[in-house]
């Protein structure tokens, strides 16, 4: 069995470097425990790459990603680049470019409640206890990649019919794109509770009508899996009303983006939600959250989503299932021991157990075996 793996590490911006350090320490610990070697190469990506090279996803970074066994990505973006004019390079374009370049059409976002955090949730304990669902988000199609434009000084587009600005984005899907993501969802469901909820807006959008049609065709190949359709507005509501009713949620790119941030609160914090972006090329492992500019540099970001994304990499990309389990169990145990970063601390948390990014990483390391 292969015992050495090449990883392209993209720390990006904001809290990115802080949480990536903890992921790397967890990988060092895995090396010691499981006698495997990780060859980690750091590359510029996102805002930092714009500052240094003028583009968010430089060719050198692209080459490294393509040549690696996996890409480990923290987060990109921040107010500095939000403030630059429309049309100038943006960190988020780098992220979309990376996903597209790696053919990463399937974004898997598992949402599980840790018992230790259930009482800390903003939702009632009875609602969030025992949730185990996964969002399968289409990642390289839809409105993120459809035809778009922003036009200035257009006749009649301004207030009162004067000249003004006009913009549009298009949600586009082909049968092939829907088919391949649907198959991923059904395959996953086969190894879970065999239930797929396909989320769309078929009462209004043509792209959703096609989505529903193709998902039902794919479902015929998986007779043991129950398929439900749900409109996205209802899904947003059901996620907080009765989240345990979901097993696999299959949805398009923008709906998946929004529903996954909502679902993160079922686990206590966006800082807990990991993800894998997989498809035809090098798989990418990235927490669901962003660069959290409001807490960047303070050493208080929750490293769990990053560390759990690293565990997904070990298991999905490298087949190191025991090592992945060791990380997941250690996170769970650290939480059970009461350790909390501020985002997951509750009113009843013991002050002495509220710790920063590095210390949380340390506690998790110590518990890995
Ligand atoms: P965000 O996810 O960065 O933050 C939302 C809120 O959650 C903030 O209050 C933040 O402090 C908190 N949060 C997020 N991660 C946390 C963690 N690990 N520990 C503790 N708290 C955490 O979303 P935003 O503020 O809307 O966006 C900020 C920037 O990040 C934007 O530029 C956006 O484009 C970018 N972004 C990048 C990614 C990515 O790189 N994958 C994902 C989402 C947003
Ligand atoms: C995510 C992020 C990205 C997305 C942004 C930063 C482009 O919100 O990974 O969820 O919308 O996909
Ligand atoms: Mn998002």
């Amino acid at each position: 069995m292969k015992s050495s793996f090449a990883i392209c590490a993209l720390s990006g911006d904001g809290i990115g470097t802080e949480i990536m350090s903890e992921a790397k320490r967890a990988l060092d610990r895995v090396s010691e425990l499981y006698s495997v070697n990780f060859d980690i190469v750091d590359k510029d990506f996102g805002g930092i790459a714009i500052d240094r090279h003028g583009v968010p996803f430089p060719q050198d970074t692209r080459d490294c990603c393509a040549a690696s066994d996996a890409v480990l990505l923290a987060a990109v973006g921040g107010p500095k680049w939000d403030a630059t004019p429309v049309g100038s390079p943006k960190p988020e374009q780098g992220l979309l470019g990376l996903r597209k370049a790696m053919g990463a059409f399937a974004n898997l976002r598992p949402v599980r409640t840790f018992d230790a955090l259930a009482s800390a949730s903003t939702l009632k304990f009875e609602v969030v206890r025992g949730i185990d669902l996964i969002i399968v988000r289409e990642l390289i199609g839809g409105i993120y990649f459809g035809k778009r434009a922003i036009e200035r000084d257009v006749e009649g587009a301004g207030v009162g019919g004067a000249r003004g600005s006009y913009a549009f984005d298009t949600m586009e899907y082909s049968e092939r794109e829907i088919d391949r993501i649907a198959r991923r969802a059904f395959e996953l469901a086969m190894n879970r509770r065999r239930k797929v909820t396909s989320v769309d807006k078929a009462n209004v959008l043509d792209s959703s009508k096609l989505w529903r049609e193709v998902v039902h065709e794919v479902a015929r190949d998986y007779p043991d899996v129950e398929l439900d359709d749900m409109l996205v507005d209802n899904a947003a509501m059901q996620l907080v009303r009765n989240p345990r009713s979901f097993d696999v949620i299959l949805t398009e790119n923008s709906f998946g983006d929004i529903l996954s941030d909502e679902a993160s609160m079922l686990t206590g914090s966006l800082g807990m939600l990991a993800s894998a972006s997989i498809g035809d090329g090098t798989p990418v492992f990235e927490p669901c959250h962003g660069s959290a500019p409001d807490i960047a540099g303070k050493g208080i970001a929750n490293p769990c989503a990053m560390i759990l994304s690293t565990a997904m990499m070990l298991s999905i990309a490298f087949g190191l299932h025991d090592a992945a389990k060791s990380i997941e169990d250690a996170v769970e145990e650290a939480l059970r021991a009461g350790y909390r970063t501020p985002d997951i601390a509750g009113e009843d948390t013991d002050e002495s157990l509220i710790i920063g990014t590095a210390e949380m990483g340390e506690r998790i390391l110590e518990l890995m075996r």
Side-chain angles (χ1 to χ4, degrees), residues 8-330:
C8 182
L10 310 176
S11 298
D13 311 311
I15 60 170
T17 43
E18 301 165 47
I19 58 176
M20 182 62 87
S21 299
E22 301 316 308
K24 286 182 179 172
R25 291 210 295 164
L27 285 172
D28 284 344
R29 184 84 182 110
V30 168
S31 289
E32 280 167 28
L33 290 169
Y34 294 88
S35 314
V36 284
N37 176 58
F38 300 112
D39 181 10
I40 305 177
V41 179
D42 290 288
K43 290 290 174 190
D44 293 333
F45 185 62
I48 182 113
I50 295 175
D51 292 354
R52 289 185 180 159
H53 316 280
V55 286
F57 187 29
Q59 189 60 45
D60 173 49
T61 302
R62 195 179 287 256
D63 293 342
C64 177
C65 292
S68 301
D69 295 308
V71 176
L72 194 56
L73 162 66
V76 298
K80 178 175 175 188
W81 305 282
D82 290 339
T84 58
V86 179
S88 50
K90 299 286 181 182
E92 293 77 5
Q93 289 165 346
L95 181 58
L96 301 189
L98 167 71
R99 291 168 175 170
K100 194 77 165 183
M102 299 304 123
F105 63 83
N107 182 217
L108 314 180
R109 299 187 156 184
V111 182
R112 269 186 303 264
T113 25
F114 291 92
D115 285 347
L117 287 186
S119 59
S121 174
T122 51
L123 295 158
K124 284 186 195 146
F125 176 77
E126 321 73 279
V127 175
V128 298
R129 180 177 40 95
I131 293 167
D132 181 6
L133 62 88
I134 184 164
I135 298 178
V136 178
R137 169 188 176 195
E138 199 292 323
L139 200 60
I140 54 173
I143 199 163
Y144 279 60
F145 292 90
K147 287 185 269 305
R148 67 201 304 147
I150 179 159
E151 290 163 26
R152 306 292 179 191
D153 200 29
V154 176
E155 184 73 52
V159 177
R163 296 185 82 85
S165 298
Y166 168 78
F168 66 89
D169 299 274
T170 325
M171 194 186 285
E172 296 178 63
Y173 271 107
S174 67
E175 182 177 343
R176 185 183 72 94
E177 288 173 302
I178 303 167
D179 182 280
R180 66 182 180 182
I181 188 70
R183 285 185 194 280
R184 290 286 171 145
F186 280 94
E187 293 292 339
L188 273 171
M190 289 295 284
N191 293 314
R192 297 176 48 98
R193 300 194 307 283
R194 301 189 172 201
K195 183 173 172 192
V196 169
T197 306
S198 173
V199 173
D200 61 34
K201 188 74 186 172
N203 53 345
V204 178
L205 305 176
D206 281 348
S207 56
S208 280
K209 287 181 187 129
L210 181 65
W211 179 278
R212 200 175 272 209
E213 206 177 285
V214 176
V215 170
H216 279 262
E217 270 163 33
V218 171
R220 286 205 223 122
D221 292 340
Y222 301 87
D224 297 336
V225 179
E226 179 190 338
L227 168 65
D228 280 332
D229 301 300
M230 195 177 278
L231 296 172
V232 62
D233 44 356
N234 183 24
M237 187 274 282
Q238 297 296 343
L239 258 180
V240 287
R241 177 176 178 261
N242 187 14
R244 273 195 305 276
S245 66
F246 294 104
D247 179 18
V248 176
I249 295 178
L250 162 65
T251 194
E252 69 84 40
N253 203 344
S254 64
F255 298 162
D257 177 45
I258 297 166
L259 292 180
S260 57
D261 267 34
E262 185 193 7
S264 77
M265 281 314 292
L266 304 169
T267 71
S269 166
L270 189 48
M272 296 301 301
L273 216 62
S275 95
S277 304
I278 56 183
D280 306 323
T282 310
V284 181
F285 299 87
E286 42 176 329
C288 296
H289 62 71
S291 56
D294 53 337
I295 56 167
K298 295 186 178 161
I300 57 167
N302 185 346
C304 289
M306 184 75 228
I307 292 174
L308 291 168
S309 300
T310 308
M312 289 185 87
M313 173 181 77
L314 294 173
S315 124
I316 295 174
F318 307 157
L320 299 173
H321 304 292
D322 291 344
K325 178 97 172 52
S326 147
I327 291 184
E328 286 160 5
D329 288 351

